[in-house]
Amino acid sequence: MLLAIPDILTPDEVATARAALDAAEWIDGRVTAGAQSAAVKNNAQLAEGSPVADALGEMILAGLARSPLFISAALPQRIFPPLFNRYGIGADFGVHVDNAIRAVPRTPIRLRTDLSCTLFFSHPEEYDGGELLIEDVYGPQRVKLPAGHLILYPSTSLHRVTPVTRGARVASFFWLQSMIRQDAQRSLLFDLDQTVQQLGLEHGGNDANVLRLSGIYHNLLRQWAET
C-alpha cells in the first residue's frame, strides 16, 4: 500500500521547522546508509541526536499521533526517530531498498522496517527534480508532495530520489514497525476501517451493520496483530 497522508504538520509547524533546518549544520548523508545504499547516496543529513533533529522529531511524532489516517494505515508498533535530509542541486539517491532491521540510536531497541515514510518540508515549487520514485505493482510512482504532507509505503519497495536541478529538497525520513507484518493484511484492515468510519458517518455508530463490520475489523486485528 502506497498512501499520501496530508497535513501531518500545520503550516506554522512547517515554517518553524524550516527555519530550524535552514540554520542547521548538515553532514554527509551516507552516515546512516547500509553498504549498498551508501554507494548510491548523495545528499546531506542532520546528525542523529542533534538538538534540532530531536526537537523536530518530537514535533513529527506528535503530528503522526493526531492523524487518524496515519494510525489507520500504519497501525504502528514502533517508530524510528525521524531523520532529516537535504538534496541540493545535483544531489540524488540511486535505486535501493531500505535495511530490514534498524537499531534505534542510544537504545537497545531494534525494529523491523515494515513501512517507510517521507515527510516533505520543501514546497514543490521550491525545487525541480527531487521526486521520490517508488517501484509499485502498477509501475513506478513519482511522489512530490506539499510541505507538511507525508508519503507512506512498504519498506520492501525499490525506490530512489531523482537529481535536484533547481533549489533544494528538504524532508524527514523514517521507518516503522507495524503491529501487522504483512502488507496485504494491513491494506485489508485499512480498507475495512475506512469503510466502517464512512458508514458510521452515514448511518450512525450504533447502526447494526456498522457494529457488525466494526466487530469483524477488531477480530481480524486481534488475530493478526503482533504486540
Side-chain angles (χ1 to χ4, degrees), residues 15-117:
T16 297
R18 276 301 300 274
L21 291 168
D22 289 346
E25 182 177 348
W26 297 86
I27 62 174
D28 191 324
R30 287 173 292 185
V31 295
T32 57
Q36 182 270 332
S37 296
V40 294
K41 189 174 186 180
N42 172 32
N43 65 9
Q45 190 169 307
L46 287 190
E48 290 182 83
S50 73
V52 173
D54 284 349
L56 296 185
E58 290 298 322
M59 178 190 292
I60 290 170
L61 293 176
L64 297 175
R66 63 176 182 253
S67 170
L69 186 61
F70 171 79
I71 300 299
S72 177
L75 292 171
Q77 183 180 27
R78 294 192 180 105
I79 301 177
F80 194 90
L83 302 173
F84 300 85
N85 57 22
R86 183 183 186 278
Y87 291 79
I89 294 174
D92 68 342
F93 198 163
V95 177
H96 64 286
V97 66
D98 292 333
N99 291 349
I101 304 295
R102 305 288 306 201
V104 178
R106 298 168 285 170
T107 77
I109 297 172
R110 295 177 180 270
L111 62 81
R112 184 184 65 242
T113 57
D114 296 322
L115 291 164
S116 299
C117 306

Side-chain angles (χ1 to χ4, degrees), residues 179-197:
M179 290 186 288
I180 306 298
R181 180 192 294 257
Q182 298 297 327
D183 184 62
Q185 292 175 341
R186 273 196 314 274
S187 297
L188 181 62
L189 286 168
F190 175 68
D191 289 342
L192 182 55
D193 185 38
Q194 295 301 296
T195 299
V196 170
Q197 291 187 44

